[in-house]
Amino acid sequence: MSESFGVADYLVFLGMLLLSTIIGFYYAWKDRKNTDEEEFLRGGNHMSVMPVCISILASFMSSTSFIGIPVAVYYTGTQFWIVLIPAFLAATLACEVFIPIYYKMKLISVNEYIHRRFQSHKLRVMCNVSVLLALVPFFGVELYAPAVALSIVTEMSIPSSIVVMGLVVTVYTSMGGLKGVIWTDFFQFAVMVFGLVSVAVTGADVAGGMAKAFDKAYLGGRIEFWNMTFDVYSNNSFWVMFIGFTILWCGTLSTSQLMVQRAVCMPTLASAKKALYFAIPGFLTMISLTVCIGVLMFAHYYDCDPMLSGRVTRPDQLLPYFVLDIFRNTYPGMTGVFVACIFGSSLSTLSSGLNAMASIIWDDYAKQALTCIPSRWGVYATKLLAVGIGFASIGCAFVLKEVKSIFEAVIMLYGASNGPMFGLFCLGLFFPWANSWGCGLGMAVGQAFCLWITVGSVVDKRSLFDVLPTSTEGCAAQNISVLYPGANLTSLTHYKPAPYYPTGFDMVHHLSPFFVPTIGFVITLIVGNVISLLTKGNKDNPIDKNLVHFDICHNLEKLLPKSWRQFHEKDTEKTDLKDHTKY
């Protein structure tokens, strides 16, 4: 047992894991006689606003965000704060455009929209494969991130923590269904908030106040909000971050199975919108807290960087080490609260993801393939699917040791699927000529290009050209040895990274991870529109007008030949949703 991670810390941490598991078992026991798959996957459509709101917030504030954002601020500055604007824009788009359509359709799988809109089962299968191939490695990263954190504060090895957390989340997700996931998220969110606030308050106290911390961050060149240079190779460009995160958040809130599943479990459309709108202030607050913690962390190590002094070996270990440092010999159990916070955020994201992926596989494949199985057995089959995905995620977590930055890996892995997927849904919703041929090829090309960037970035790693320097001038006064010399403190304030001009394949491999979703989105839109128009759009295929944005399609259709048009008059009565669920 670590000298700094004491008995109280272990009790707090293990208590959180135990309570999370108990919640899943409680809902499994409570609904033990209910074999309705709708109840398991959609909570019976009678969830209240607040727990769903908290579940949304907890699911999308992952452990990689808690660990990665402070580290990003530590090395590149406060520019990251601008991602608050895309989050608000994305929530508005999802609530006012996408969710009303999904809610009326009463979807279980979000990809059912693709099948109905394009009347193509093959395109739906393509979407499912894309989501599964992207999310299972993403879940692996979510397991690996807290394992790295735990390894710095305890004697538990990274493999051990991966297995423990993977088994816990798999058990309570498969046992409790959507209700168990939502109420566990509610509990874990409380732990997350308490952990973040505790670190922020204690860190500010150690620094002598937030004002002094920001003063040191300014002297260290970390206070920056308007780096308006459009540089697709920089992780600190306003436009790269603004555009990239706008696409990322829009895709997440508008086309993610995790979001849609929560929207359709609400009793009314108004309550579904409220759940997301109410989550946004909390989300903005959590992002702001993590940015402030990054500033406090830099202020604490202003003149003695832990990486250069060899106290940590990976950037992802900086935040756990900082927490261990500020709570050392002061408040028993508080380090355990932080570890519980990181694990809780990871468990929330993973539980939501496992439940969502199980619902996609069951609704899109297994239900049709296993027609001989009685419907009452569907809930048991879905639980087994959640278990299988959980074990696959544990396996992926063990192959992530070569990843340099967990946060960048998550953005790139998730964005490689998220950007093209959002482009596909936009084609279906806003472009009346978009057909299955164009959309299928557009998504394939967009995703292939994003995967090329992702794989290339791993094989052909780029240097950290846009990382701001750190100092070790104060290490000697603290009796801390230095492995690598740092920069002079006087040079930090006005330091500007040199522009990066890659050549050859590096021009693709070294693109900013934050820009990957944008590239996939734009390629999917361009290729999808061009191929759809070349194949005569939907000239001979009627479109269900409930599955598109009527006003936009009505206006865009004026660009088409009259023989292609289907939205002739704005007052055309919308048709009722048709049942296209039979294949």
Side-chain angles (χ1 to χ4, degrees):
M1 183 179 294
S2 170
E3 295 180 2
S4 302
F5 200 79
V7 175
D9 298 304
Y10 275 102
L11 289 176
V12 171
F13 169 59
L14 294 176
M16 186 276 295
L17 293 180
L18 182 62
L19 280 174
S20 298
T21 308
I22 288 174
I23 292 173
F25 276 112
Y26 168 75
Y27 279 101
W29 178 83
K30 182 180 178 182
D31 297 331
R32 64 191 183 281
K33 296 181 180 179
N34 191 334
T35 57
D36 183 7
E37 65 189 66
E38 296 285 320
E39 180 75 17
F40 182 79
L41 295 175
R42 296 204 301 208
N45 289 99
H46 48 68
M47 297 299 297
S48 56
V49 171
M50 190 51 64
V52 174
C53 168
I54 297 299
S55 180
I56 291 171
L57 184 54
S59 298
F60 291 112
M61 280 302 298
S62 63
S63 61
T64 51
S65 298
F66 284 133
I67 293 176
I69 293 175
V71 173
V73 174
Y74 183 91
Y75 281 115
T76 62
T78 54
Q79 184 75 53
F80 198 89
W81 228 323
I82 65 102
V83 303
L84 301 181
I85 304 173
F88 177 77
L89 297 176
T92 303
L93 177 69
C95 286
E96 302 304 326
V97 178
F98 285 87
I99 288 179
I101 291 178
Y102 300 149
Y103 191 85
K104 292 174 184 177
M105 296 174 69
K106 293 296 180 184
L107 302 178
I108 289 180
S109 166
V110 66
N111 294 329
E112 185 180 344
Y113 169 81
I114 297 299
H115 181 248
R116 294 194 193 183
R117 166 62 176 85
F118 298 106
Q119 301 178 26
S120 171
H121 182 61
K122 292 181 179 179
L123 187 56
R124 180 175 180 173
V125 171
M126 182 179 173
C127 291
N128 294 338
V129 172
S130 170
V131 171
L132 290 171
L133 289 179
L135 285 186
V136 171
F138 169 73
F139 296 155
V141 177
E142 282 299 313
L143 281 171
Y144 186 69
V148 171
L150 194 61
S151 69
I152 201 71
V153 298
T154 73
E155 293 179 355
M156 182 180 288
S157 66
I158 290 178
S160 298
S161 60
I162 287 173
V163 172
V164 169
M165 190 172 64
L167 291 177
V168 168
V169 72
T170 300
V171 167
Y172 78 70
T173 302
S174 60
M175 294 296 292
L178 185 61
K179 284 184 180 178
V181 167
I182 287 177
W183 283 109
T184 306
D185 284 349
F186 194 94
F187 159 68
Q188 288 165 351
F189 176 75
V191 176
M192 289 154 55
V193 171
F194 184 69
L196 278 181
V197 171
S198 299
V199 172
V201 171
T202 307
D205 181 58
V206 172
M210 284 300 300
K212 288 188 177 180
F214 271 87
D215 286 342
K216 284 188 176 180
Y218 173 76
L219 293 174
R222 263 60 181 180
I223 305 301
E224 183 175 30
F225 295 102
W226 306 110
N227 177 13
M228 306 305 287
T229 304
F230 186 80
D231 183 358
V232 295
Y233 300 104
S234 172
N235 292 340
N236 201 36
S237 164
F238 175 91
W239 294 112
V240 167
M241 296 184 72
F242 178 80
I243 297 172
F245 276 93
T246 297
I247 299 300
L248 187 71
W249 294 134
C250 284
T252 298
L253 298 180
S254 299
T255 67
S256 165
Q257 177 69 17
L258 281 69
M259 180 62 235
V260 174
Q261 193 174 18
R262 279 153 179 72
V264 300
C265 80
M266 302 300 293
T268 64
L269 175 59
S271 60
K273 289 184 177 182
K274 285 180 182 177
L276 180 53
Y277 273 133
F278 289 174
I280 294 305
F283 182 77
L284 301 184
T285 302
M286 300 287 273
I287 290 289
S288 296
L289 271 174
T290 56
V291 172
C292 287
I293 289 172
V295 171
L296 291 168
M297 189 164 65
F298 178 80
H300 193 70
Y301 300 118
Y302 168 68
D303 58 357
C304 189
D305 177 57
M307 283 284 291
L308 296 180
S309 59
R311 288 172 286 173
V312 297
T313 57
R314 295 176 55 100
D316 305 306
Q317 294 176 329
L318 273 171
L319 181 60
Y321 184 80
F322 170 67
V323 172
L324 196 64
D325 220 2
I326 62 175
F327 287 127
R328 196 188 306 272
N329 302 322
T330 53
Y331 305 103
M334 291 308 299
T335 305
V337 169
F338 168 75
V339 174
C341 167
I342 297 298
F343 267 69
S345 61
S346 184
L347 291 173
S348 296
T349 302
L350 288 164
S351 62
S352 302
L354 295 183
N355 189 271
M357 290 300 97
S359 67
I360 284 181
I361 295 175
W362 173 253
D363 194 59
D364 291 356
Y365 301 113
K367 186 189 292 185
Q368 285 72 42
L370 304 174
T371 54
C372 58
I373 295 180
S375 59
R376 66 179 183 276
W377 290 5
V379 65
Y380 301 118
T382 309
K383 291 179 179 183
L384 288 175
L385 287 172
V387 171
I389 299 170
F391 281 119
S393 301
I394 292 173
C396 285
F398 280 98
V399 298
L400 291 168
K401 293 182 179 179
E402 297 301 319
V403 174
K404 181 178 292 186
S405 169
I406 292 176
F407 187 60
E408 290 185 7
V410 164
I411 297 295
M412 194 168 282
L413 281 171
Y414 187 58
S417 171
N418 179 279
M421 184 69 73
F422 182 54
L424 175 65
F425 276 77
C426 285
L427 284 168
L429 203 65
F430 302 125
F431 296 91
W433 54 77
N435 59 28
S436 59
W437 283 102
C439 292
L441 188 58
M443 184 178 175
V445 175
Q447 188 140 35
F449 197 86
C450 288
L451 290 175
W452 175 20
I453 299 173
T454 302
V455 174
S457 68
V458 174
V459 175
D460 183 17
K461 293 182 176 66
R462 69 175 189 173
S463 61
L464 301 177
F465 68 91
D466 58 348
V467 169
L468 299 175
T470 54
S471 176
T472 56
E473 283 188 8
C475 290
Q478 302 175 47
N479 294 321
I480 297 174
S481 59
V482 176
L483 295 181
Y484 309 99
N488 294 325
L489 287 173
T490 55
S491 68
L492 297 183
T493 305
H494 302 292
Y495 179 87
K496 297 294 180 185
Y500 179 56
Y501 301 106
T503 57
F505 285 117
D506 287 350
M507 297 176 67
V508 176
H509 298 165
H510 294 175
L511 287 165
S512 170
F514 301 153
F515 207 61
V516 170
T518 304
I519 294 172
F521 173 75
V522 171
I523 290 177
T524 301
L525 280 187
I526 293 174
V527 176
N529 277 306
V530 170
I531 300 300
S532 293
L533 290 171
L534 291 176
T535 53
K536 298 184 178 181
N538 292 295
K539 180 180 179 181
D540 302 317
N541 299 316
I543 300 174
D544 188 335
K545 297 177 179 62
N546 288 286
L547 303 181
V548 297
H549 192 287
F550 188 82
D551 292 332
I552 293 178
C553 285
H554 175 264
N555 289 316
L556 285 178
E557 195 179 49
K558 296 175 183 177
L559 301 173
L560 298 175
K562 288 185 177 181
S563 60
W564 290 26
R565 299 178 187 176
Q566 299 187 37
F567 306 87
H568 299 298
E569 298 180 4
K570 186 174 176 61
D571 297 330
T572 301
E573 184 177 356
K574 295 181 182 181
T575 60
D576 294 330
L577 281 173
K578 299 177 182 179
D579 184 8
H580 296 294
T581 58
K582 297 181 180 179
Y583 305 102

